[in-house]
Amino acid sequence: MVKQMIAPSILSAQRLNLQADIDQAVAAGVDMLHIDLMDGVFVPTLSFGPAFIKDIRTITQVPLDAHLMVCNPEHYLDEVIAAGADLINVHVESTQHIFRLIQLIHAAHKKAGVVLNPGTAVTTIAPLLATVDNVLVMTVNPGFGGQAFIDAMLEKIQQLAQLKAQHNYNYTIEVDGGINDQTIQQCAQAGANIFVAGSYIFDHQIASQIQKLQQALK
Ligand code: DX5
Ligand code: ZN
């Protein structure tokens, strides 16, 4: 059985008190930190750039999950790798050369993930499934924290879990968007094993929110 991992999305953390928020999340026993890179083009919003990952790397040993919501991800890849990201998730919709990017990430000895927008079918990435380390299913439209979970994405998670079992693939299945103590259970049942949560964790008391998610997975 694959380990269930909780990855707080620091997009919803307090920017001017970020280190304290991260310290609390790490102390509560999270498995990874999820960092959203947005360019205002692939998604309407701006968030962090690769330099930010480097800063976070200096304050924690926890694995870093970089979620690239940018056009031309190839322009950012070297910097994201050098910054110390451990898992690099690239949207299949953001590049014409997803396979090449996955090869580049692997050549740098990092874990490579492919991301599906809600409107993108699992079949789109069928040729990648034997190669990737992670598939990230967006369970909201990317770009903003605090949106409602899209129930129809559960079927996509099930499809990925089925394909994985059928072909003995090695990828983890990650979900991002609208994750709370209810939806985390639905996603886990469908076969997901990495759970990103932003507003659910950081809009309230961090440690107890993480505990509720951990509890929901038991
Ligand atoms: C949205 C980002 C998410 C976001 C999730 O585009 O990819 O990581 O922070 O936020 P919540 O958990 O609040 O839906
Ligand atoms: Zn994200």
Side-chain angles (χ1 to χ4, degrees), residues 34 36 67 69 176:
H34 181 88
D36 292 302
H67 176 191
M69 283 166 276
D176 182 10

mmCIF file of all heavy atoms in Angstrom, residues 34 36 67 69 176, ligand 2:
data_model
loop_
_atom_site.group_PDB
_atom_site.id
_atom_site.type_symbol
_atom_site.label_atom_id
_atom_site.label_comp_id
_atom_site.label_asym_id
_atom_site.label_seq_id
_atom_site.Cartn_x
_atom_site.Cartn_y
_atom_site.Cartn_z
ATOM 1 N N HIS A 34 3.630 21.984 -0.767
ATOM 2 C CA HIS A 34 3.215 22.204 -2.158
ATOM 3 C C HIS A 34 3.366 23.692 -2.482
ATOM 4 O O HIS A 34 2.819 24.548 -1.790
ATOM 5 C CB HIS A 34 1.759 21.758 -2.288
ATOM 6 C CG HIS A 34 1.167 21.882 -3.647
ATOM 7 N ND1 HIS A 34 1.257 20.885 -4.598
ATOM 8 C CD2 HIS A 34 0.450 22.884 -4.224
ATOM 9 C CE1 HIS A 34 0.617 21.268 -5.692
ATOM 10 N NE2 HIS A 34 0.120 22.474 -5.502
ATOM 11 N N ASP A 36 2.971 26.602 -5.407
ATOM 12 C CA ASP A 36 2.307 26.918 -6.675
ATOM 13 C C ASP A 36 3.023 28.039 -7.399
ATOM 14 O O ASP A 36 3.082 29.167 -6.908
ATOM 15 C CB ASP A 36 0.871 27.367 -6.388
ATOM 16 C CG ASP A 36 0.008 26.238 -5.867
ATOM 17 O OD1 ASP A 36 -0.113 25.226 -6.579
ATOM 18 O OD2 ASP A 36 -0.528 26.363 -4.756
ATOM 19 N N HIS A 67 4.411 22.983 -8.245
ATOM 20 C CA HIS A 67 3.292 22.874 -9.188
ATOM 21 C C HIS A 67 3.393 24.048 -10.150
ATOM 22 O O HIS A 67 3.133 25.190 -9.790
ATOM 23 C CB HIS A 67 1.982 22.894 -8.382
ATOM 24 C CG HIS A 67 0.748 22.878 -9.220
ATOM 25 N ND1 HIS A 67 -0.504 23.117 -8.702
ATOM 26 C CD2 HIS A 67 0.557 22.642 -10.551
ATOM 27 C CE1 HIS A 67 -1.404 23.050 -9.668
ATOM 28 N NE2 HIS A 67 -0.786 22.767 -10.803
ATOM 29 N N MET A 69 2.206 26.267 -12.840
ATOM 30 C CA MET A 69 1.039 26.743 -13.612
ATOM 31 C C MET A 69 1.525 27.909 -14.461
ATOM 32 O O MET A 69 1.219 29.078 -14.201
ATOM 33 C CB MET A 69 -0.074 27.174 -12.655
ATOM 34 C CG MET A 69 -0.822 26.001 -12.063
ATOM 35 S SD MET A 69 -1.843 26.491 -10.657
ATOM 36 C CE MET A 69 -0.622 26.432 -9.373
ATOM 37 N N ASP A 176 -5.458 18.137 -5.905
ATOM 38 C CA ASP A 176 -5.189 19.528 -5.532
ATOM 39 C C ASP A 176 -6.418 20.380 -5.816
ATOM 40 O O ASP A 176 -6.834 20.513 -6.970
ATOM 41 C CB ASP A 176 -3.984 20.033 -6.347
ATOM 42 C CG ASP A 176 -3.578 21.456 -6.020
ATOM 43 O OD1 ASP A 176 -4.079 22.019 -5.040
ATOM 44 O OD2 ASP A 176 -2.724 21.995 -6.765
HETATM 45 ZN ZN ZN B 2 -1.289 23.536 -6.622
#
